[in-house]
Amino acid sequence: MYLDCKKILNNFNEGYSRWTPGWHLLGANAAFLRLMGIRAGDASSEIPNADRESPAFYEFGKAVMRETERQDAVKNFEFRLWRGSGGHCWVCTDAWRISNAEGETAYYEAYVRDVTPFKLKEAEFSHQLFYDLLTGLPNRELFTDRLQMALETQKRHPGMHHGVLSLDLRNFKNINRHYGRNFGDMVLRHVATVLGLCCRTVDTVARTSSDGFSVLLHGPETGAQLVKIIKRIKESLAAPFTLWEQSMDSVEMDIGVLFPLSDYSKAESVLRDVSIAVSRAQAVNNKSNCKFFSKKMLEQNRQDIALSVILREKSDIKGFYLLYQPIVRGTGGLHSFEALARWQHNGKTIPPTMFIPIAEKTGFIKRLGFFFIEEAIRQMQCWQKEHNARCKLHVNISPYQFLAPDFSRNVLDILHNTGFDASSLLFEVTESSFLYDFRNAARHIGVLRENGIAFCLDDFGTGYSSLSYLKQMPIDCLKIDRSFVEMVDYDHKARILLKHILDLGEDMGYELVVEGVEKQIQLDSLGDLSRLLIQGYYFYKPLPPPSVEALFEEQK
Ligand code: C2E
Ligand code: MG
Ligand code: MG
């Protein structure tokens, strides 16, 4: 049977060629010529000086000649071909060197496959391994790798400085729950863009957890320089923005900072310490915060872990008690008391900002929360009886307490069992109660308000403070956060903002409490005091019950 070899070769998808050390192409099929960008009428005809016909063939041929001179034959040799305006393509080659009787190279032979589609898939795959799909930023693996490289460079060049920021979105779960996951995704992309714009291209901005970002900064020499960058980031995140017809006033992020890195040799240790700094930042009130890592934090962290073990294992309310901070009328006179929790543990007084978040994480808050409600009611009843007290009682309720389906029923049971007048009771809740699970929180609040308990939105002005949201909230009272009052004596804009918040609150029919008043100048900046209730060290600090009793005696 006659085989037309030329025809068969030309129908091959795989390229075939044979050439001499002097670049004389002895034979090549159509696929090979196409790959190399050689235009030849008759595919199998010889081409002398083929290196001049195509730069792609010149580069490819040189590489094959180099490899086969070294090891006679190569298998699966990958090469990136540059085909001028045709762009790049990847080829995979099996090639060998054929010698003459004298052992000199007579010619080279190569089979070439175009593997560009596989290479693209591979690149896409490895991109997915090291980049976050949603934001396009490097992921934790790549960030850790770059950080490790920075630490190693720093070892060789001690004058080189780096800093690491860890940024966590506050209440991100709640944003997802309330606005939906798509919106949550957009917020993440928004943050990625903002961070990218605030940093230089040599810095690495990465998404390192579901709601967390990390930044590796090259070159800051002092903490002050770092603070400038952080300020820029915070200001950009604080700007209102609209995504998908939904506007948000700002993005709240807690920031942990680690600088300098000179004591570190492992990326993992840097990441551990910066995450301690960010969790310290998260533990501060309801506001977003920034904390520089210090060795002291390691100790605090150890204490926290020890506390959480104690809270988890003992689940014992021994040592917990309440202080009572008077709230006064703007026109004068006691109006109410806010019950504020404390924990006496190992001879130390532990503030609520330390143990409430742990109790929330461990679930102990459910039991502790009811203990505080019962204890505050018992105390107030005692003062009503013995001192004829006519004050209202404010009790703080954690968002986690609303998660219990029987929360409102249990509160009503307490009222029933103690006979306490519900109209003397006011629960302070934060915005996060609604963000977490609006329907559930609103249901409990609805039931309790129907039964006479009033609700106050605590720390108003921090968090997301969405005004459109405010009108939906089933509350009776607004408590303006301390940070506004803190700023009024040196920040003119804060004074204007405070005035307008108070006007807005009044127009919406809420009772208004201003917290954190410490100085006369702050009191003076509040305008018409007759519409306000005021709480702050200027009047009273949180007091133990005997001091409250002395106060009642004084007022008789
Ligand atoms: P909060 O409910 O906003 O309570 C007001 C905090 O501000 C209290 O801190 C109070 O002592 C402090 N404060 C009041 N006036 C001034 C002032 O003029 N200057 C300054 N610098 N601070 C002032 P505290 O007692 O450390 O409580 C902190 C937070 O812990 C509370 O903030 C509340 O969120 C939480 N908390 C306290 N007790 C309880 C509780 O029984 N249950 C729950 N869930 N949270 C509680
Ligand atoms: Mg409060
Ligand atoms: Mg507050």
Side-chain angles (χ1 to χ4, degrees), residues 306-512:
L307 287 183
S308 68
V309 170
I310 293 163
L311 282 181
R312 206 183 304 253
E313 283 179 356
K314 286 205 170 169
S315 285
D316 189 355
I317 44 167
K318 216 173 105 217
F320 291 99
Y321 62 97
L322 291 168
L323 295 181
Y324 297 86
Q325 187 176 24
I327 298 173
V328 299
R329 288 194 176 82
T331 47
L334 267 180
H335 176 269
S336 43
F337 287 92
E338 178 175 9
L340 292 162
R342 298 289 181 269
W343 184 22
Q344 195 70 28
H345 176 68
N346 279 350
K348 280 192 207 142
T349 304
I350 299 174
T353 44
M354 260 185 99
F355 67 79
I356 296 278
I358 300 174
E360 287 175 340
K361 268 190 215 146
T362 56
F364 182 49
I365 191 69
K366 202 176 151 199
R367 179 140 172 255
L368 196 59
F370 282 123
F371 165 74
F372 289 139
I373 297 171
E374 279 177 317
E375 173 58 20
I377 285 180
R378 188 203 57 75
Q379 182 63 74
M380 191 47 98
Q381 277 185 313
C382 173
W383 289 334
Q384 284 171 345
K385 219 159 96 201
E386 287 171 18
H387 297 274
N388 200 21
R390 291 285 159 261
C391 295
K392 284 197 180 184
L393 173 65
H394 291 220
V395 179
N396 291 287
I397 304 294
S398 149
Y400 290 81
Q401 289 174 263
F402 288 121
L403 292 181
D406 51 0
F407 174 73
S408 40
R409 213 197 53 231
N410 286 341
V411 172
L412 294 179
D413 284 349
I414 295 174
L415 287 181
H416 180 78
N417 295 340
T418 55
F420 191 71
D421 176 14
S423 65
S424 300
L425 190 56
L426 186 147
F427 282 164
E428 293 194 6
V429 296
T430 52
E431 218 179 329
S432 44
S433 308
F434 300 97
L435 281 171
Y436 203 63
D437 184 347
F438 188 91
R439 247 192 243 145
N440 209 18
R443 183 178 64 81
H444 285 307
I445 294 175
V447 170
L448 295 173
R449 283 178 87 212
E450 266 170 34
N451 283 276
I453 299 177
F455 277 79
C456 174
L457 190 62
D458 204 353
D459 304 331
F460 183 72
T462 62
Y464 291 97
S465 304
S466 161
L467 294 181
S468 60
Y469 211 29
L470 181 61
K471 67 178 193 307
Q472 298 175 43
M473 288 186 192
I475 50 159
D476 310 276
C477 162
L478 274 188
K479 202 185 236 196
I480 318 299
D481 189 66
R482 198 167 81 216
S483 54
F484 287 99
V485 181
E486 249 168 32
M487 283 188 287
V488 288
D489 40 344
Y490 57 87
D491 187 341
H492 170 65
K493 284 186 187 158
R495 218 169 302 149
I496 297 174
L497 198 59
L498 180 62
K499 179 189 174 303
H500 284 286
I501 291 177
L502 292 174
D503 288 347
L504 179 93
E506 187 183 25
D507 290 347
M508 288 179 86
Y510 296 126
E511 190 167 50
L512 297 171

